[in-house]
Amino acid sequence: MKHLVVLSGAGMSAESGIATFRDSGGMWEQYPIEDVATPEGFRRNPQLVLDFYNARRKAAFEAKPNGGHIGLAEMEKDFKVSIITQNVDDLHERAGSSNVLHLHGELSKVRSTADPSSIYTLTPDKPEIHIGDKCEKGSQLRPHIVWFGEAVPMIEKAIETVNTADILVIIGTSLNVYPAAGLLNYANPDTPVYLIDPKEVNAHRQGIHFIQKGASEGVEELRRSLK
Ligand code: OAD
C-alpha cells in the first residue's frame, strides 16, 4: 500500500463549525495571540487563558467530523494513511482515522505546569479546568497545547513521517506557522503534493496539484484523482 501523508490545519475543521485563525473573522482577530497562546500570556493572566481553552474545548466536544475528515478515514481502505495535524480538536480520530499525530497538542488533554509528562484527559461532562485544579503532586494544570515560543516535541516524528510519504496532501492550512509549514520540504522531490484549500496558498514548491475547494469537496476530488 502506498503511504499517504496528510498535513492538516484549521480549514480542515471549518466545515465542522470551528473557526480558523487567520481568515477574516478568525480566532486571532478576537483574541490576541500574545494574550492567550504564549507562556507569557499564561503567566500574566492564567484565568483568561484557561477560559479561552475551556470555551474552545467545549466547542470541539460539540463539533462533529465533516465529509473531509470522514473521506480521509475511508482512504485507509486503499492507502496507509498518516495524518499530521496542527489542529487541537480530535475530529480526525472521531471520523475513524487510526494514525493521527498532533503537532500543536490536544484540547481534550491538560497537563501539570511542573511536569509535562503528567497528562490528564478531560471528557465532555467535565470539559473545563480552573485556577486551583492541580495535578497529583500539587501543581496547577494547564492546557496540553503548544504555545508560541514553546518547543514542538512531535516535529521529529512528523519529519520522519513526511520523509516516507509516497503522496503528500496538505489541507486547510495557510502555511504561516513554523516548523509545521516547513514539513513540506522534507517530502522527497518526486513525491506528488496535493493542496486542498478554497484560497490560494503559497507553498513554495513547484508542481503542486492545487484543488481549490473546501475540505469535504476537496477530499472527494482527491480520491477521484488517485483512483
Ligand atoms: P489558518 O487560520 O492560518 O489557515 C486556515 C486555512 O484554512 C486558510 O488557508 C483558509 O483558506 C483555509 N480554509 C478555510 N476554510 C476552509 C475549508 N472549508 N476547507 C479547507 N480549507 C479552508 O490556520 P492554520 O494554518 O491551521 O497554532 O494555523 C496554524 C497554526 O496557527 C494553528 O495550529 C494554531 C495557529 O496559531 C497554535 O495555536 C499553536
Side-chain angles (χ1 to χ4, degrees):
M1 268 188 179
K2 285 197 171 171
H3 188 199
L4 182 113
V5 176
V6 178
L7 172 65
S8 70
M12 184 79 227
S13 298
E15 289 160 38
S16 298
I18 298 180
T20 60
F21 295 99
R22 294 175 184 77
D23 288 302
S24 86
M27 201 66 85
W28 297 149
E29 265 180 20
Q30 292 176 59
Y31 304 93
I33 290 182
E34 55 279 12
D35 287 349
V36 298
T38 61
E40 295 76 26
F42 186 59
R43 272 197 292 277
R44 258 195 321 269
N45 191 344
Q47 189 62 59
L48 176 81
V49 176
L50 295 185
D51 286 345
F52 173 72
Y53 287 101
N54 285 339
R56 296 194 51 215
R57 191 177 300 110
K58 277 201 237 171
F61 276 137
E62 281 161 19
K64 293 195 172 53
N66 64 54
H69 298 107
I70 294 166
L72 290 177
E74 287 173 355
M75 289 180 89
E76 291 191 11
K77 285 183 224 144
D78 301 311
F79 297 91
K80 176 188 170 195
V81 181
S82 300
I83 296 186
I84 301 168
T85 188
Q86 296 167 84
N87 297 345
V88 293
D89 63 55
D90 63 353
L91 296 176
H92 282 300
E93 288 92 334
R94 282 202 270 138
S97 283
S98 53
N99 184 11
V100 183
L101 182 153
H102 286 272
L103 265 187
H104 293 163
E106 291 173 76
L107 269 177
S108 62
K109 295 182 178 164
V110 295
R111 68 172 188 257
S112 164
T113 45
D115 173 9
S117 67
S118 189
I119 299 170
Y120 303 82
T121 301
L122 300 182
T123 49
D125 55 311
K126 196 206 167 286
E128 300 190 352
I129 53 167
H130 298 280
I131 302 295
D133 287 343
K134 295 182 174 155
C135 72
E136 280 143 54
K137 292 186 184 149
S139 296
Q140 175 65 42
L141 293 175
R142 59 161 275 180
H144 186 51
I145 299 285
V146 175
W147 286 326
F148 286 90
E150 293 187 318
V152 181
M154 300 306 279
I155 195 69
E156 291 300 327
K157 178 109 194 291
I159 289 172
E160 277 168 34
T161 305
V162 172
N163 237 307
T164 62
D166 296 311
I167 303 163
L168 179 65
V169 184
I170 300 169
I171 310 180
T173 172
S174 62
L175 294 174
N176 266 303
V177 173
Y178 286 80
L183 280 172
L184 177 60
N185 303 324
Y186 292 92
N188 207 296
D190 47 20
T191 296
V193 179
Y194 292 80
L195 193 153
I196 300 172
D197 200 297
K199 286 199 202 137
E200 272 181 41
V201 176
N202 193 352
H204 303 289
R205 181 173 164 127
Q206 302 292 313
I208 290 191
H209 305 281
F210 281 102
I211 300 179
Q212 202 164 356
K213 294 199 165 143
S216 299
E217 276 189 75
V219 168
E220 256 181 55
E221 184 168 328
L222 171 76
R223 294 179 75 182
R224 279 195 300 274
S225 312
L226 295 177
K227 269 258 152 73

